[in-house]
Structure formats: C-alpha cells, structure tokens
Amino acid sequence: MDQIVGVSKSIFELYLSKHTFTLLFCSIVFSIVSCTSTGQLSESASTSHTSFKPEKTETEERLEEVYWAKVESAKMNFTQADVDFMVGMIAHHSQALIMSDLAPKNEAGSMVQTLAARIINAQKDEIASMQRWLRERNQPVPKVHIDGLTLTITMESPEGQSSGHEHMEHSHSAHAGPDHSGMPGMLTQDQLNELAGLNGDAFDQAFLTYMISHHEGGVTMVKELFNTDGAALDHQAFRLASDIQVDQTTEIERMELMLQNMKGS
C-alpha cells in the first residue's frame, strides 16, 4: 500500500512540474505576444492619430493664400465717396443723438421718448460700425464728443501715421461746423436752441418735425452715395448705407403718423 501511495505521489509531482513548466512557457509567450501587440497597437494608434491632422499640400496652401488675399483686396475696394459718406454720416447721426437726448429732459410724451431711445441705440451702433469701417481701411476716423447741444469732432489719424497723441484735430459745433452744416437735414444753431427750449407737447411736435427732416436728409445722403459712380461697391459700405436708408425711411413713416395723430387730437 505504501508503495502504491509513493508511486502515485511521484506521478502527481511529475504532473505538477510539467504543467508548471507549461504555464510558465505560456506566460512567457503571452507576454511576448502582448508586448508585440501593444507595440503594434501603439504604432497603429499613432498612425491613426496622425491621419486626423493631414498636412496641407502646397496647392492647398496656395489656394488659402489666394483666398485671404482676395478677402483683403475686396476690403480695400472703396472710393473717396465712400469715405466721405462715412465721415459725414457720423456727424449727421451725432446731431440726431443730441436731438434725441433732449426728449427725456424736456418732458416729451412716452411715445416720443421711446422713439428717441430707439434712435439713440440704433445710431450709436451705426456710428461705431462706420468708425470701424474707416479704421479697417486705414482712413482718418471721426471721434465724437457731445456736450449738451455742442458736438465736437476729433479726427483720429490712421494707425501707423500717428505717434499716438498727434491727432489731426478740428472741433466744431454740430450745427455750425463748416464741414457738416450743409449736409441735408442738419439743424441750424437756432433750430437746436428752439428745440431745447420747448417742453411737453410743443417739444414733441417740434422734435418729430425736425427729426423727419433730419432723417430725410440722411436718406438723401444714401441716395447720393448710390448714384456716385464706383461708390458703395464695398460690401460693408453697401450694407451700412442700405440699412440706414431702410431704417430711416421706416422711422419717417412712423413719425409722420405720430405727428398727424397729435395734430388731429
């Protein structure tokens, strides 16, 4: 019996030793395969990652250069008439700000105050757009300063042509300035003083009357721009002028209706 047990034990130990070797061998093979596979995967992943960032060909780079060159070229497709329109309209809009600012101070009716607030918001935005248009085209930019009924225009020199403080500067009142008083729809000094001296219903009627005339002047300036050869071909200039024409034409109709209702009541 002891002999049988001893033989069995030997067989079992031999079995274990063989399988231990087999397990060890398999482990080594698995490690090698895993390392190889991991390397292949890493390489594959790296290759795949690289494929998401293809380098541009010379042709693609050239096409991109041509595209941006055309964009810049189109931006510079403007005339002196476009520049004059922007500079003049900034002053024209600024006088509308002076007139509209009087509405809450002079006890205007709620509808006129709402209209005046809308004009201030719209024309401030358009002034900023026109200043940006001029600046992007390296043109002198009118800087607006309003103090009561007085408008001062400071011309900011184009970037690169000024040392920072050397501004070409001229100041004038919005109503009497030699450069802008002749623009269509601009109020005179006496008309501004008259408006500033009115209150309530009298202010409302005078405001609407003068603002209708002022807006009609703005529409006339846009028509003159569109009728000038070579002008308003710049996309942004055309868009700005068109928006001014549409907005002011719509407001003229609204103000005429308001004025009719006031006179009829």
Side-chain angles (χ1 to χ4, degrees):
M1 184 63 181
D2 292 340
Q3 291 177 346
I4 294 173
V5 171
V7 171
S8 298
K9 185 178 179 181
S10 298
I11 293 173
F12 180 70
E13 289 174 350
L14 179 62
Y15 174 82
L16 283 178
S17 65
K18 283 184 176 180
H19 280 269
T20 298
F21 174 77
T22 301
L23 289 172
L24 179 62
F25 176 77
C26 288
S27 176
I28 293 172
V29 171
F30 178 76
S31 298
I32 294 173
V33 171
S34 296
C35 291
T36 303
S37 299
T38 303
Q40 289 174 341
L41 286 173
S42 299
E43 182 178 357
S44 176
S46 176
T47 302
S48 177
H49 178 70
T50 302
S51 67
F52 283 105
K53 293 182 177 179
E55 293 185 358
K56 295 176 183 175
T57 64
E58 290 185 6
T59 300
E60 289 171 334
E61 289 181 348
R62 178 57 183 158
L63 287 174
E64 186 172 328
E65 290 176 1
V66 170
Y67 170 77
W68 287 113
K70 284 186 175 294
V71 169
E72 289 301 315
S73 176
K75 186 182 290 185
M76 302 306 290
N77 184 24
F78 62 91
T79 65
Q80 187 59 44
D82 295 313
V83 174
D84 293 342
F85 172 81
M86 297 294 175
V87 172
M89 189 59 80
I90 287 172
H92 200 272
H93 272 22
S94 297
Q95 192 183 67
L97 298 182
I98 293 174
M99 296 166 64
S100 299
D101 189 54
L102 293 171
K105 299 174 182 175
N106 291 41
E107 301 176 353
S110 60
M111 292 183 66
V112 170
Q113 289 204 36
T114 300
L115 172 68
R118 187 183 298 119
I119 290 173
I120 289 173
N121 289 333
Q123 302 210 3
K124 274 187 175 179
D125 288 345
E126 289 174 350
I127 287 173
S129 296
M130 289 186 283
Q131 289 172 325
R132 184 166 54 252
W133 187 93
L134 290 165
R135 191 172 293 111
E136 289 178 351
R137 286 152 185 82
N138 205 32
Q139 297 298 309
V141 180
K143 305 291 288 186
V144 177
H145 310 277
I146 295 175
D147 182 14
L149 300 182
T150 301
L151 168 67
T152 302
I153 298 290
T154 303
M155 297 301 292
E156 181 183 84
S157 298
E159 186 177 356
Q161 298 181 22
S162 170
S163 60
H165 300 289
E166 296 176 359
H167 290 167
M168 180 177 68
E169 182 173 322
H170 64 87
S171 301
H172 57 86
S173 62
H175 39 78
D179 295 332
H180 304 305
S181 61
M183 288 191 300
M186 290 291 278
L187 271 63
T188 65
Q189 174 68 58
D190 289 342
Q191 288 172 324
L192 274 180
N193 290 339
E194 175 200 352
L195 185 63
L198 299 174
N199 285 281
D201 292 342
F203 174 86
D204 288 352
Q205 292 196 26
F207 176 85
L208 293 172
T209 300
Y210 284 144
M211 190 60 82
I212 288 171
S213 176
H214 195 271
H215 274 25
E216 288 174 341
V219 173
T220 297
M221 291 170 65
V222 173
K223 289 179 179 177
E224 289 175 351
L225 177 71
F226 288 161
N227 289 332
T228 302
D229 290 340
L233 295 179
D234 173 90
H235 172 71
Q236 292 182 25
F238 177 79
R239 180 69 178 272
L240 275 166
S242 298
D243 288 347
I244 290 171
Q245 184 179 37
V246 171
D247 291 346
Q248 300 210 358
T249 299
T250 301
E251 285 184 347
I252 288 170
E253 295 173 354
R254 183 180 298 121
M255 290 189 289
E256 287 177 337
L257 182 60
M258 291 170 65
L259 194 57
Q260 288 174 8
N261 292 334
M262 287 180 188
K263 292 180 177 179
S265 60

